[in-house]
Amino acid sequence: MNYNYAYLVRFQYLGFRLHGWQKQPNLKTVHFFVDKTLKFVCKGIRCKSVGVGRTDAKVSSTDYYFQLFIDEKLEESFFIEDFNRNSPSDIRVQAVEQLHDEEFNIIQHPKVKEYRYYFSFGEKNHPYCAPFLTGYLDKLDVELMKQGAQLFEGFHNFKHYCTKPSPETRVERTIDTCIIEENTELSASFFPEKSFVLIIRGSGFLRNQIRLIMGALAELGKGNYDLEFIKKSLSPENSNINFMKTIAPASGLHLHKVEFKK
């Protein structure tokens, strides 16, 4: 189905009450609300939206994109204003750019994604923290977790860090960056005095890969794993690990940035 125009729309959303990007029957998803808003803003105009990728339920994004196909040319500033006036308060469009490359495909185009997982430890957090960061009640050895995070950088077999991979799933992937730092960016008056962030960058990730990595690092910080176990988990040879038992809660995960390669 051909459309006269195509646009790249950059927007943000808080995912805590939503069931991820993809439309699902009888569930509130990001794509559902995007299309519901477009139906009102672009009333009577044939259009279609395609997201840059899937996100899990409760996962948020500060930099997400969808490709908008439409039969009429947009007045971009008016579209942003009209969309934001009519969309839910937890979804906000930031920018719109007309695409002149007819071959551009938002799903297939090479890109780098940066995810951030925010967490704290040692005490029960204020309930208002729940949509933004995970609070571990146990004491965590963050310095050891930092060492463990670096082990994930580079090309590895992530078979153990994927939920239900099929025989066709390409489990060998490259992670460009995997570090833990003190959180100095995301803040609120009700946040704990100190919190941390796991930063992961790469071209593509498996289902639940980042949450499984965070889960493994949390177990490392608790003393339930050691660095040697993390190393073995990244190599299918001579490993008796069937699966990683801990997956971190979804609400601490944020898709922080999407960069399209030229």
Side-chain angles (χ1 to χ4, degrees):
M1 187 179 292
N2 295 323
Y3 292 82
N4 294 331
Y5 300 94
Y7 293 86
L8 191 63
V9 183
R10 179 163 61 92
F11 72 107
Q12 302 171 318
Y13 63 87
L14 179 64
F16 192 63
R17 73 178 180 102
L18 303 173
H19 290 263
W21 163 260
Q22 188 176 8
K23 288 182 181 177
Q24 301 177 61
N26 303 316
L27 293 177
K28 295 178 179 179
T29 68
V30 183
H31 199 182
F32 168 80
F33 283 114
V34 164
D35 276 2
K36 185 177 180 180
T37 305
L38 287 173
K39 188 176 181 180
F40 184 83
V41 172
C42 305
K43 188 175 182 179
I45 306 172
R46 192 176 62 124
C47 63
K48 176 184 177 181
S49 63
V50 179
V52 73
R54 298 182 181 183
T55 53
D56 293 341
K58 296 190 176 182
V59 172
S60 299
S61 180
T62 56
D63 189 51
Y64 194 89
Y65 291 82
F66 68 84
Q67 189 171 358
L68 175 63
F69 300 92
I70 190 166
D71 275 346
E72 292 189 12
K73 188 176 179 64
L74 295 179
E75 201 291 298
E76 296 169 9
S77 60
F78 176 77
F79 173 83
I80 294 172
E81 181 181 349
D82 204 21
F83 189 99
N84 288 336
R85 182 184 293 113
N86 292 284
S87 62
S89 59
D90 45 9
I91 296 176
R92 180 180 72 163
V93 164
Q94 296 176 285
V96 180
E97 174 189 352
Q98 185 176 351
L99 294 169
H100 299 285
D101 180 3
E102 295 182 358
E103 301 300 318
F104 181 86
N105 183 304
I106 195 170
I107 296 175
Q108 297 178 0
H109 192 89
K111 62 186 75 70
V112 174
K113 294 181 179 180
E114 179 179 313
Y115 283 90
R116 297 194 172 193
Y117 195 100
Y118 296 90
F119 67 97
S120 62
F121 67 90
E123 62 180 353
K124 182 82 170 183
N125 284 338
H126 192 292
Y128 289 5
C129 293
F132 309 108
L133 61 89
T134 295
Y136 291 98
L137 299 182
D138 304 86
K139 178 176 173 57
L140 300 180
D141 185 340
V142 175
E143 293 306 313
L144 183 62
M145 291 171 67
K146 289 180 180 179
Q147 295 178 49
Q150 292 184 330
L151 297 176
F152 289 98
E153 290 186 352
F155 183 77
H156 299 289
N157 186 302
F158 289 98
K159 172 185 175 182
H160 305 304
Y161 293 90
C162 177
T163 299
K164 297 180 180 179
S166 69
E168 294 76 30
T169 301
R170 184 173 58 85
V171 295
E172 293 183 331
R173 301 289 177 102
T174 298
I175 288 182
D176 300 323
T177 303
C178 188
I179 57 175
I180 291 177
E181 298 178 344
E182 185 172 340
N183 168 36
T184 58
E185 179 177 4
L186 194 64
S187 64
S189 61
F190 49 82
F191 269 28
E193 183 177 344
K194 182 177 287 189
S195 59
F196 299 87
V197 56
L198 169 68
I199 302 173
I200 297 184
R201 287 173 57 87
S203 296
F205 297 95
L206 299 163
R207 184 182 180 190
N208 290 329
Q209 181 180 354
I210 296 171
R211 291 171 61 196
L212 285 164
I213 289 174
M214 182 63 213
L217 291 173
E219 293 297 325
L220 177 68
K222 295 175 186 178
N224 297 327
Y225 293 165
D226 57 21
L227 293 175
E228 190 59 32
F229 178 87
I230 299 295
K231 292 177 183 178
K232 287 183 178 179
S233 73
L234 293 168
S235 175
E237 293 82 12
N238 303 318
S239 174
N240 59 359
I241 302 170
N242 292 321
F243 61 92
M244 305 304 290
K245 67 179 183 179
T246 304
I247 182 168
S251 56
L253 182 60
H254 303 248
L255 176 54
H256 182 75
K257 191 172 184 60
V258 178
E259 298 176 1
F260 293 96
K261 296 181 180 179
K262 295 182 179 180

